[in-house]
């Protein structure tokens, strides 16, 4: 027994709409002879003529008209089911990047994420990573990329995008003597106990976060570690410690018990990077880097990222 193919049904329904073999062939993207073959095959399967065709006109037979009326709802239901299944499959196959970050993610970054999904059909799964472990998750494959402070000197990693440099500010308790000034001299860091990130970060990265000495050579104490920025700010507010942070974080982490001061003579800017494993530089990561570049190219100075 020869089965009825969906293509034969589709052809007959289109012919019933057009009543013209040429226009039917054009709609279906095939030849007129193929239309004739499909209709003839369906007629053989049903054992009855469905279409009357003369040199002047094309018309459905009485049986053909009845069959079209009966089969069209079932065909439309079938095509709707197939379209729905295809859309679910497309959504299930949506690519997703796993991206880690420190502190907060700000407007330009989230806009790049939105555009990545809209323009490239790539989603983002965000994870906050420990402050002192900037590279472990991406090296281990748990994350596809991280947005973290530079420098980065790991041979297996690539900086795919460098964010605009930002000033580093000193966070002190609002009642601290330094808080009364507009700026803090860099040599005053020797009188403070600076918080440092705890974790498995390489030594060069730790040294960039907390200098070991002032430019004049006075040692800088750092007796306490923190795993998150919010933990650090809470300790700063308690008054026994200070913390160096990037300006974007200070702009958003405002609180009445903490004051942020520029450090005159510090000479080091803070810069974030989008970092990924060199052997996993998929097109979606490069697309994200390009979108970040576009977003920050139009951002007002100082540009904002995450801190």
């Amino acid at each position: 027994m020869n089965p009825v193919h969906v293509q034969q049904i589709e052809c007959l329904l289109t012919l019933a709409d057009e009543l013209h073999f040429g226009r039917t062939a054009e709609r279906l993207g095939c030849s007129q002879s193929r239309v004739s073959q499909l209709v003839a095959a369906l007629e053989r399967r049903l054992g009855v003529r469905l279409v009357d065709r003369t040199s002047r006109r094309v018309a459905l037979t009485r049986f053909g008209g009845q069959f079209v009326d009966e089969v069209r709802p079932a065909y439309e239901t079938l095509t709707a089911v197939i379209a729905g299944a295809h859309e679910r499959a497309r959504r299930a196959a949506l690519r997703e990047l796993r991206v880690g970050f420190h502190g907060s993610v700000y407007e330009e970054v989230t806009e790049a994420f939105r555009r990545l999904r809209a323009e490239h059909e790539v989603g983002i799964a965000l994870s906050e990573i420990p402050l002192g472990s900037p590279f472990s998750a991406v090296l281990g494959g748990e994350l596809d990329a991280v947005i973290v402070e530079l420098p980065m000197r790991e041979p297996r990693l690539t900086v795919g995008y460098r964010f605009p440099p930002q000033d580093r500010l000193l966070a002190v308790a609002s009642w601290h003597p330094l808080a009364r000034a507009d700026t803090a001299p860099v040599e005053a860091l020797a009188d403070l106990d600076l918080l440092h990130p705890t974790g498995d970060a390489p030594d060069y990265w730790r040294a960039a976060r907390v200098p070991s000495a002032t430019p004049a050579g006075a040692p800088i104490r750092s007796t306490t570690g923190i795993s998150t920025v919010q933990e650090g700010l809470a300790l700063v507010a308690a008054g026994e410690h200070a913390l160096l942070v990037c300006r974007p974080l200070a702009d958003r982490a405002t609180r009445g018990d903490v004051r942020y001061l520029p450090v005159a003579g510090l000479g080091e800017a803070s810069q974030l990077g989008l970092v990924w494993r060199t052997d996993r530089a998929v097109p979606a990561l490069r697309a994200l880097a390009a979108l970040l570049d576009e977003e920050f190219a139009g951002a007002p100075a100082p540009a904002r990222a995450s801190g």
Side-chain angles (χ1 to χ4, degrees):
M1 181 173 65
N2 294 326
V4 173
H5 296 291
V6 174
Q7 190 178 22
Q8 296 168 359
I9 299 296
E10 180 185 25
C11 183
L12 177 64
L13 293 177
T14 305
L15 184 61
D17 293 337
E18 298 293 341
L19 295 178
H20 189 281
F21 276 77
R23 291 194 296 270
T24 298
E26 185 177 350
R27 276 183 57 181
L28 296 177
C30 63
S31 64
Q32 291 188 45
S33 60
R34 180 57 177 162
V35 172
S36 297
Q37 292 170 4
L38 290 169
V39 172
L42 182 57
E43 289 176 330
R44 287 195 299 272
R45 174 66 183 87
L46 297 177
V48 66
R49 179 175 290 280
L50 300 171
V51 177
D52 284 331
R53 178 182 184 183
T54 68
S55 59
R56 295 186 177 182
R57 64 188 292 270
V58 174
L60 296 176
T61 65
R62 182 180 61 83
F63 189 94
Q66 182 181 0
F67 180 74
V68 164
D69 290 341
E70 292 174 344
V71 80
R72 190 185 295 276
Y75 174 79
E76 291 176 348
T77 298
L78 177 61
T79 55
V81 169
I82 292 173
H86 175 73
E87 177 62 17
R88 290 194 300 273
R90 187 193 70 80
R91 291 177 180 175
L94 181 71
R95 293 167 295 172
E96 186 175 74
L97 290 180
R98 301 162 299 167
V99 179
F101 67 96
H102 284 156
S104 301
V105 177
Y106 303 132
E107 289 91 337
E108 288 81 8
V109 180
T110 55
E111 176 61 14
F113 291 164
R114 184 198 67 77
R115 291 180 58 193
L116 186 71
R117 185 180 186 94
E119 299 173 19
H120 300 274
E121 295 190 327
V122 177
I124 294 287
L126 285 174
S127 301
E128 185 172 6
I129 58 178
L131 192 60
S133 299
F135 310 124
S136 298
V138 69
L139 281 169
E142 292 89 1
L143 296 175
D144 299 304
V146 289
I147 298 175
V148 294
E149 281 194 271
L150 302 176
M152 191 286 295
R153 301 170 190 161
E154 305 305 301
R156 296 169 56 198
L157 299 180
T158 292
V159 180
Y161 174 70
R162 294 177 183 271
F163 292 74
Q166 300 288 340
D167 292 337
R168 298 182 76 192
L169 304 180
L170 179 68
V172 296
S174 58
W175 50 265
H176 193 280
L178 283 175
R180 294 193 293 268
D182 293 330
T183 61
V186 68
E187 294 300 321
L189 297 182
D191 300 324
L192 302 172
D193 189 353
L194 292 185
L195 296 166
H196 62 267
T198 58
D200 55 7
D203 291 341
Y204 69 84
W205 190 88
R206 292 174 181 271
R209 305 282 74 73
V210 180
S212 60
T214 67
I220 297 175
R221 287 187 303 149
S222 181
T223 62
T224 303
I226 55 174
S227 57
T228 68
V229 172
Q230 295 305 319
E231 177 188 355
L233 293 177
L235 290 173
V236 168
E240 296 182 3
H241 302 278
L243 179 66
L244 288 170
V245 300
C246 62
R247 182 177 292 276
L249 185 141
D251 290 342
R252 285 161 177 79
T254 56
R255 44 190 297 169
D257 51 4
V258 173
R259 176 84 189 280
Y260 299 99
L261 300 170
V263 182
L266 182 61
E268 291 185 6
S270 171
Q271 187 173 33
L272 295 167
L274 175 67
V275 177
W276 60 65
R277 261 177 53 171
T278 306
D279 62 349
R280 297 188 179 184
V282 295
L285 286 171
R286 299 191 186 280
L288 176 57
L291 291 172
L292 286 169
D293 188 44
E294 291 178 14
E295 290 301 319
F296 280 93
R304 295 169 290 179
S306 66

